[in-house]
Amino acid sequence: MNRRSFCLTGLAALAAPGLALAMPKDYTEGLAKKHLAQGDVVFLDFKADWCSTCRAQERVINALKAENPDYAAKVTFINVDWDKHGKGALVKELNIPRRSTLVVMKGEEELGRIVAGTGKDEIKALMDVALGAAASS
């Protein structure tokens, strides 16, 4: 292994734990309830790969996470694939009207919601609610 490869491998290993925190979890049945029961603040992103509004929201969310690593470190982000789970129990329980819906929860309480909003200020406000709830834990 040459010096450059060695250095890049080392940097990747150091960055890996931070990258794992930043990556949202993909929803499976019961995942959100598990995290909520543990006292985590959960940011649910109901989305579809083909949805342009969802992609716009994702770009804003990722930019905000890059600006403030506390979002990824203190809030559990879960992507809910609309095509797989759009008719599922979680969608029914939370009365989710459509894909491109963002919801913040802690315990049994919904702290905030955005439906089809893509504005940075609006999404940042919702993420700040999540961060504030995480800080009060």
Side-chain angles (χ1 to χ4, degrees), residues 52-68:
S52 59
T53 303
C54 302
R55 285 193 303 274
Q57 289 175 328
E58 182 176 31
R59 284 190 297 273
V60 172
I61 291 166
N62 289 339
L64 290 167
K65 284 181 184 178
E67 290 173 15
N68 185 351

Side-chain angles (χ1 to χ4, degrees), residues 43-110:
F43 187 103
L44 296 164
D45 185 351
F46 295 86
K47 63 197 307 177
D49 290 340
W50 49 266
C51 171
S52 59
T53 303
C54 302
R55 285 193 303 274
Q57 289 175 328
E58 182 176 31
R59 284 190 297 273
V60 172
I61 291 166
N62 289 339
L64 290 167
K65 284 181 184 178
E67 290 173 15
N68 185 351
D70 279 352
Y71 291 128
K74 297 180 179 179
V75 177
T76 301
F77 287 81
I78 300 176
N79 288 337
V80 183
D81 185 322
W82 188 258
D83 293 330
K84 290 181 187 174
H85 303 287
K87 296 183 192 266
L90 182 65
V91 168
K92 291 176 185 169
E93 287 172 27
L94 297 178
N95 197 27
I96 303 300
R98 56 172 287 170
R99 69 199 180 290
S100 69
T101 299
L102 308 172
V103 177
V104 172
M105 297 188 70
K106 183 174 181 182
E108 298 286 322
E109 185 180 358
E110 181 177 315

